[in-house]
Amino acid sequence: MNIQGHAALVTGGGSGLGEATARELARLGAKVAVLDLNLENAQRVAADIGGVAVQCNVSDPDSMQAAIQQAAAAHGPARILMQIAGIGTAKRVVGKDGNAAPLDDFARVININLIGTYNAARLFAAACAKLEPMEDGERGVMVFTASVAAYDGQVGQQAYSASKAGVVGMTLPMARDLAQHGIRVCTIAPGLFMTPLMRTLPEPVQQSLAASIPFPSRLGKPEEFAQLATHIVTNTHLNGETIRLDGALRMAPR
């Protein structure tokens, strides 16, 4: 798909990987709707790129549906979904106090990262399937965000790893499911990236994490994630695949 002129939705577009992706889509000529729970961040990015800001909770069906409709009112129906919104957490199954980890913490991560991804995907796909097909019969494309933690999660990452492994696990069957509608589905599993959360860590910790990456031995740049995400859109034969973007990193247990 040629990105130029098409409407795109970017969840989590107000910061980090989502912000970089929104900016790259706009640079390539897309009409970008920046969806984020933090409306102020979404408005900042949208103002910079000439897009529209929409407050959105991906795990809430009404909120996500309203966001899709609001974006369509501004830009027309979207053919591109970048599902990047998510959260991270770390809780040992049995804490230092000997108590079991709170079940609510696990459920919250699953709800936002996995159920939120499915919710955004199903609502986008339902709208996209109604559009006229383009070249090769394609109607749209979705790019999900997993993590290398889906494959080699660290101590305490049970909830995060499970949520991201779920995203990886539904990528191929969803691509097969939506093939009849001409909608492609791919997932990116990033490693260690220089995001706002990473910047809150002490510099020695950042350097130590960067040194654990075989090559290049540095943290990933958000724009590198964005470049891969937009390449997936333009390369029509990419479908049903999860791509690790990690500099050959394999995470240690802790």
Side-chain angles (χ1 to χ4, degrees), residues 232-246:
I232 290 170
V233 176
T234 60
N235 189 330
T236 310
H237 210 59
L238 273 172
N239 195 16
E241 187 58 78
T242 298
I243 304 169
R244 289 183 67 132
L245 185 63
D246 58 16

Side-chain angles (χ1 to χ4, degrees), residues 60-233:
D60 182 273
D62 292 338
S63 177
M64 189 66 217
Q65 184 65 60
I68 291 173
Q69 292 171 346
Q70 185 177 337
H75 294 155
R79 291 189 184 268
I80 301 166
L81 171 65
M82 298 291 183
Q83 166 53 30
I84 304 174
I87 62 171
T89 187
K91 291 276 186 182
R92 287 181 178 264
V93 179
V94 179
K96 292 182 179 179
D97 58 6
N99 293 324
L103 185 58
D104 286 351
D105 287 353
F106 187 93
R108 178 170 176 264
V109 176
I110 296 295
N111 189 47
I112 294 173
N113 292 358
L114 179 55
I115 296 177
T117 296
Y118 182 79
N119 184 46
R122 71 185 184 93
L123 294 173
F124 169 84
C128 194
K130 297 179 177 69
L131 302 179
E132 288 297 315
M134 303 180 296
E135 187 179 358
D136 287 339
E138 185 176 30
R139 285 187 171 88
V141 58
M142 298 188 284
V143 178
F144 300 154
T145 308
S147 167
V148 295
Y151 305 98
D152 31 78
Q154 296 184 297
V155 167
Q157 284 191 321
Q158 288 77 224
Y160 186 69
S161 293
S163 70
K164 295 303 188 178
V167 172
V168 171
M170 74 179 177
T171 300
L172 178 59
M174 190 175 290
R176 289 170 165 173
D177 189 327
L178 294 175
Q180 63 183 315
H181 301 294
I183 300 172
R184 293 185 292 117
V185 185
C186 282
T187 293
I188 300 174
L192 299 172
F193 273 70
M194 180 55 79
T195 61
L197 180 62
M198 185 68 73
R199 290 192 184 95
T200 66
L201 299 177
E203 185 64 29
V205 175
Q206 293 183 33
Q207 293 176 358
S208 176
L209 291 171
S212 69
I213 301 172
F215 185 81
S217 293
R218 59 165 173 79
L219 298 173
K221 302 174 183 178
E223 53 266 34
E224 291 171 324
F225 177 96
Q227 288 162 5
L228 177 56
T230 52
H231 175 75
I232 290 170
V233 176

